[in-house]
Amino acid sequence: MVKQQSVSQMKARLSELRKTNQRQSELVLELAEAIQSGQGARSLAAAFSDEAERWDVLEQVARAAMDCGRARPTRGEEESLAATLVKQLAARFPESNRVKLLQGELFEAQGDWAGATQLYDELLTETPNHAAATKRKAVIFKSRGDIPKAISVLAAYVQQAMADYEAWVELSELYLSRGDFQRAAFCFEELILSNPLSPVYHIRYAETLYTMGSLENLQLARKHYANACKIQPDDARSLLGLYMTCSALNSEKFIKQRTPINEELEAFAVSRLKQLYSKQASAPQLECLNETFSKMALTTSS
Amino acid sequence: MAPAAIPLLLDTSIRDWVLIPIVIVMFLLGIVRHHITELLKSDRIDDKAAKAALDGQGLLRARVLRANGRFLSPLAFQMRKNFFTQADGGDDSKKGWLMQERPKPANPMGDPSQMMGMLKNNMSFVIPQMLIMGWINYFFSGFIATRVPFPLTVRFKMMLQRGIELPTLDASWVSSLSWYFLAVFGVRGLHTLVLGEGNAADQSMNMQQMAGMGMTPNPTVDMNQVFKAERENLDLCVHEYALANIERALLDTASVSATSTTSKLKQH
């Protein structure tokens, strides 16, 4: 596919990928190699005559190379592709924070945690509140399995940069992995605020609340599942969640707080789910589904 | 007798030693100035700017809460509102985020380091400007450098014949000093061509900057005022729970769509 395009087309594609911030690393590498060989250039940098474009491309390809396992030397290379590119960038911009960050990512990709941490610490002393360096540090802790440390770094970070929703997503995942549902729920609330029309955050919030499982949490989970169902009517995940929550609320435990609307909702969720699956599933699968529903109804009501 | 009819001849060495050198000098000066500004430019994000960015993030979160808070339960909303606007608690850490005192923006004229930065910037413009003006005045004042190839009205004398007070001279003749001014603005296009868009060689840009001294947008805004406004907005914001009757609404839309599909079936 790449082979048939002209060099200028491939350059345009590369620049489009860069500007839309897509992380299609394999494609980027493939394009970069094709451009280099297409122009018969000795290095990637030589293939780009435009000074401004050249360095952006080097950064882009270096990141892609790290993603594709080219951070360490392979196939008889003396030096890995990513390392070569980063070195060129560092030679051109010796003082640049952006290159330092890239260098740190290279260390990470090579598994040199200590080197990366040291570099990020340097960056942070030079420019306090350097967002990317802080986040990379949290990610290093995460990669090394030190989740509590990662959480403490990120939690301190979102207290400062309160509208960095990417960080809130990551923090919610980390809390969930530790089983800290209360705090994860807080993160999801924040994410719902950021984008209330996205069903995803409503579903994940409701799931967290359902897992916590008191009466108030279940009622709130039901609301958010219902909202997700309303935004995205044919979504099996939210319908199943709605069904599970309603049947939990119908159980003996909450017999005093039973409301008619709950049973109505449960019936609605079941019928919609069956309707949804009847379009796609085969007959034995449907039978299995019906069986599961009746079994679940038994376990929750007993 | 029309005075304009008298033919005037200019020495060719005026062209070679005045006209063209002025243009070349102006062009080279622009390039040198561009590179000097690049060198002097400090692209470090200082601590204050970083803090201001963080304040902006907090403000954004407060605004988002105001806009989308209705999707959260009353408890969760109240908790966040308290975080921003809580009044009690003597020490600063317990106060709401929007209640905390921010440092007042320093007067840019009073801050020596900022003054220095502005001076550095302006020096690279003003000093060569003065030198060139002196050079022109010293060597070339008071004679005609060229003429424009079309007739002009007397009004243009002010513009084109600076430094020459000859009422009888035709307006299409250009004096050397005026040629200098024309060159100042004329080489701008050439600079854009050579140095790219938004280069530092552009003089008119600099003149605009000098007019609105210290126009750096952010640091002069008093964050305390912005925070106060946001605090009041948040205080006025009444929480209307959007999900209060969501279950009913879901069932209603479902039954509506169900009836509409059955009625469609009947029609067929």
Side-chain angles (χ1 to χ4, degrees):
Chain A
M1 173 197 103
V2 165
K3 290 269 152 22
Q4 287 141 17
Q5 291 170 333
S6 73
V7 170
S8 61
Q9 268 177 323
M10 289 190 286
K11 280 186 180 174
R13 181 90 180 94
L14 208 57
S15 128
E16 183 199 325
L17 284 173
R18 189 168 60 241
K19 274 162 195 159
T20 51
N21 218 356
Q22 299 180 52
R23 200 153 182 157
Q24 299 204 36
S25 301
E26 283 178 14
L27 180 62
V28 167
L29 263 193
E30 209 179 322
L31 281 169
E33 274 163 11
I35 289 171
Q36 190 183 331
S37 62
Q39 296 214 322
R42 271 175 53 241
S43 68
L44 186 65
F48 287 87
S49 53
D50 183 7
E51 177 90 3
E53 190 185 9
R54 183 193 304 156
W55 304 112
D56 283 351
V57 168
L58 287 198
E59 186 189 24
Q60 182 187 18
V61 177
R63 270 220 175 88
M66 288 174 209
D67 285 350
C68 298
R70 302 282 297 272
R72 291 200 181 89
T74 47
R75 291 183 265 164
E77 290 172 324
E78 246 175 63
E79 190 179 40
S80 72
L81 177 64
T84 321
L85 296 175
V86 171
K87 210 181 250 178
Q88 283 171 358
L89 281 166
R92 174 67 180 79
F93 306 102
E95 297 287 309
S96 161
N97 281 351
R98 199 163 142 189
V99 174
K100 270 187 202 157
L101 197 71
L102 196 66
Q103 178 86 55
E105 282 173 53
L106 177 66
F107 281 148
E108 277 184 69
Q110 290 170 339
D112 181 2
W113 306 122
T117 313
Q118 197 195 342
L119 207 78
Y120 296 143
D121 282 338
E122 263 173 44
L123 257 180
L124 282 169
T125 46
E126 267 176 45
T127 30
N129 307 322
H130 193 290
T134 319
K135 287 199 253 183
R136 294 302 324 169
K137 263 183 85 174
V139 170
I140 288 181
F141 285 126
K142 188 188 171 192
S143 333
R144 302 179 70 177
D146 194 349
I147 304 294
K149 269 264 180 58
I151 286 178
S152 71
V153 170
L154 259 190
Y157 172 73
V158 291
Q159 272 177 16
Q160 298 280 312
M162 290 191 253
D164 189 339
Y165 292 105
E166 194 185 50
W168 283 108
V169 173
E170 186 61 38
L171 191 57
S172 71
E173 303 286 343
L174 290 173
Y175 277 134
L176 280 185
S177 74
R178 295 286 294 170
D180 194 341
F181 299 116
Q182 197 84 43
R183 289 196 171 85
F186 185 91
C187 297
F188 285 128
E189 284 169 6
E190 229 24 79
L191 289 166
I192 289 174
L193 283 179
S194 80
N195 188 357
L197 294 179
S198 157
V200 181
Y201 299 137
H202 283 287
I203 294 174
R204 302 219 58 191
Y205 181 47
E207 281 167 353
T208 314
L209 289 171
Y210 173 81
T211 315
M212 284 197 281
S214 70
L215 176 70
E216 290 80 21
N217 286 335
L218 284 173
Q219 279 169 344
L220 198 54
R222 194 180 65 192
K223 278 189 189 307
H224 284 274
Y225 272 132
N227 193 33
C229 289
K230 195 152 178 283
I231 299 169
Q232 205 177 25
D234 287 334
D235 181 40
R237 182 172 172 176
S238 46
L239 280 171
L240 187 68
L242 184 64
Y243 166 70
M244 301 276 282
T245 315
C246 289
S247 62
L249 280 168
N250 270 342
S251 66
E252 292 291 315
K253 203 171 150 197
F254 305 118
I255 197 155
K256 280 181 195 157
Q257 290 90 4
R258 263 190 202 171
T259 45
I261 197 164
N262 195 43
E263 282 174 33
E264 221 176 309
L265 268 175
E266 186 179 357
F268 162 78
V270 170
S271 74
R272 280 305 284 276
L273 272 174
K274 282 182 183 166
Q275 199 187 337
L276 209 63
Y277 279 106
S278 64
K279 283 182 201 159
Q280 297 168 3
S282 60
Q285 280 174 320
L286 271 181
E287 209 171 291
C288 187
L289 184 77
N290 285 335
E291 208 175 305
T292 317
F293 276 134
S294 49
K295 260 189 203 156
M296 281 198 324
L298 277 179
T299 46
T300 47
S301 58
S302 62
Chain B
M1 222 194 350
I6 302 166
L8 245 153
L9 271 181
L10 291 185
D11 195 342
T12 48
S13 46
I14 286 187
R15 180 192 63 205
D16 294 348
W17 296 102
V18 180
L19 204 67
I20 296 169
I22 288 181
V23 175
I24 291 176
V25 163
M26 291 317 295
F27 176 68
L28 291 179
L29 185 75
I31 288 183
V32 169
R33 175 182 298 141
H34 174 73
H35 287 293
I36 288 178
T37 347
E38 289 282 280
L39 280 180
L40 292 178
K41 206 196 295 178
S42 56
D43 54 357
R44 257 197 148 67
I45 309 162
D46 60 353
D47 211 22
K48 262 187 211 157
K51 281 247 165 60
L54 292 179
D55 281 350
Q57 291 226 1
L59 271 177
L60 182 65
R61 187 174 170 222
R63 270 181 212 139
V64 160
L65 176 66
R66 198 146 49 79
N68 299 331
R70 64 208 158 88
F71 287 95
L72 292 190
S73 65
L75 188 71
F77 177 81
Q78 198 54 46
M79 193 164 75
R80 282 171 174 76
K81 196 170 164 178
N82 279 349
F83 168 77
F84 281 118
T85 62
Q86 198 167 41
D88 59 319
D91 60 324
D92 218 36
S93 60
K94 271 188 188 153
K95 258 191 200 168
W97 190 81
L98 287 169
M99 308 293 277
Q100 289 164 18
E101 281 288 314
R102 305 287 137 160
K104 281 242 158 56
N107 182 3
M109 291 298 159
D111 185 353
S113 71
Q114 243 175 331
M115 268 305 263
M116 203 55 210
M118 257 174 354
L119 265 183
K120 257 199 304 196
N121 202 1
N122 281 341
M123 275 310 178
S124 71
F125 286 90
V126 172
I127 288 182
Q129 204 70 20
M130 274 159 54
L131 288 177
I132 297 284
M133 273 290 266
W135 173 65
I136 301 268
N137 251 330
Y138 187 75
F139 284 104
F140 307 128
S141 71
F143 60 87
I144 290 166
T146 183
R147 77 172 278 188
V148 289
F150 40 82
L152 286 168
T153 54
V154 188
R155 295 237 163 202
F156 282 94
K157 270 181 171 278
M158 282 270 286
M159 189 176 111
L160 293 181
Q161 292 176 4
R162 197 159 297 189
I164 297 176
E165 309 294 332
L166 278 181
T168 51
L169 190 64
D170 187 80
S172 54
W173 293 98
V174 182
S175 77
S176 57
L177 203 59
S178 293
W179 178 248
Y180 158 74
F181 282 112
L182 287 181
V184 166
F185 294 100
V187 292
R188 201 196 304 164
L190 214 55
H191 283 143
T192 331
L193 213 63
V194 176
L195 302 172
E197 210 56 59
N199 59 67
D202 197 342
Q203 297 228 327
S204 53
M205 274 269 284
N206 184 48
M207 281 168 189
Q208 277 166 17
Q209 267 174 17
M210 279 211 270
M213 198 82 145
M215 277 224 305
T216 35
N218 241 336
T220 44
V221 180
D222 187 355
M223 283 313 263
N224 287 318
Q225 292 299 320
V226 185
F227 276 24
K228 193 163 162 259
E230 185 55 43
R231 202 159 68 212
E232 277 160 9
N233 282 336
L234 208 56
D235 274 333
L236 288 174
C237 176
V238 182
H239 183 251
E240 283 173 37
Y241 195 20
L243 305 185
N245 288 313
I246 185 73
E247 292 101 332
R248 193 75 263 165
L250 177 69
L251 289 173
D252 287 349
T253 51
S255 63
V256 165
S257 65
T259 48
S260 70
T261 45
T262 47
S263 63
K264 262 183 204 162
L265 283 177
K266 271 174 198 166
Q267 276 175 9
H268 276 288

